[in-house]
Amino acid sequence: MSRRRWIGIAVAALAVPIGFLGVVLIDSVMHQFGACRVVRQRAFASPNGSQLVVVVWKSCGATVPDSTQASIVARGRTFSPESTPTFLSVRGHLDPVVAWSSERAVRIGFISGPDQIYKRDARVGDVTISYE
């Protein structure tokens, strides 16, 4: 076999693993662009402690605005941003004021109001939510 043919085989043999590593690296970088970071801020317990309003800040990179979100979780259950539905989502990282008036009623407010409201439900299960 000629020297030129050996060089061609060697280049082809190296191109496959190098190409595979390149695809894996690009996929990893692109996946991180879509990944969101969720930081739990506070949890506000109901009067008897059976439920919590969990407030999180969510950041998804430069293409999606940061948001503040709130969910209701039963005490003893694990909060998960993927499986726990939010009842409130507003633009920006804000500190809400949360006050339970009973086991079935909670008030939510902000010291400085949000610029944009994405979601604001009036009920979660048997809990009524009012906004100020």
Side-chain angles (χ1 to χ4, degrees):
M1 230 189 270
S2 72
R3 181 181 179 128
R4 182 179 229 161
R5 187 167 179 99
W6 278 109
I7 291 172
I9 292 171
V11 168
L14 288 173
V16 171
I18 290 173
F20 177 75
L21 289 174
V23 169
V24 169
L25 177 65
I26 290 170
D27 181 60
S28 174
V29 169
M30 295 306 289
H31 178 72
Q32 289 179 2
F33 278 116
C36 294
R37 192 179 89 146
V38 177
V39 179
R40 184 172 166 168
Q41 293 302 305
R42 293 194 57 195
F44 301 88
S46 63
N48 76 4
S50 66
Q51 300 182 89
L52 299 169
V53 170
V54 177
V55 177
V56 299
W57 287 350
K58 187 173 183 179
S59 298
C60 295
T63 60
V64 177
D66 293 347
S67 64
T68 299
Q69 299 181 0
S71 302
I72 293 182
V73 181
R75 172 76 79 185
R77 303 284 315 249
T78 302
F79 170 78
S80 166
E82 292 82 27
S83 63
T84 307
T86 61
F87 67 84
L88 173 68
S89 180
V90 298
R91 184 179 186 155
H93 288 171
L94 304 174
D95 292 317
V97 177
V98 178
W100 288 88
S101 52
S102 72
E103 286 301 309
R104 295 200 168 129
V106 64
R107 291 186 323 270
I108 309 285
F110 294 94
I111 293 172
S112 61
D115 293 338
Q116 188 172 4
I117 298 170
Y118 302 125
K119 182 176 186 179
R120 194 170 90 165
D121 294 344
R123 295 190 67 77
V124 174
D126 63 351
V127 177
T128 302
I129 304 159
S130 58
Y131 298 92
E132 298 176 1

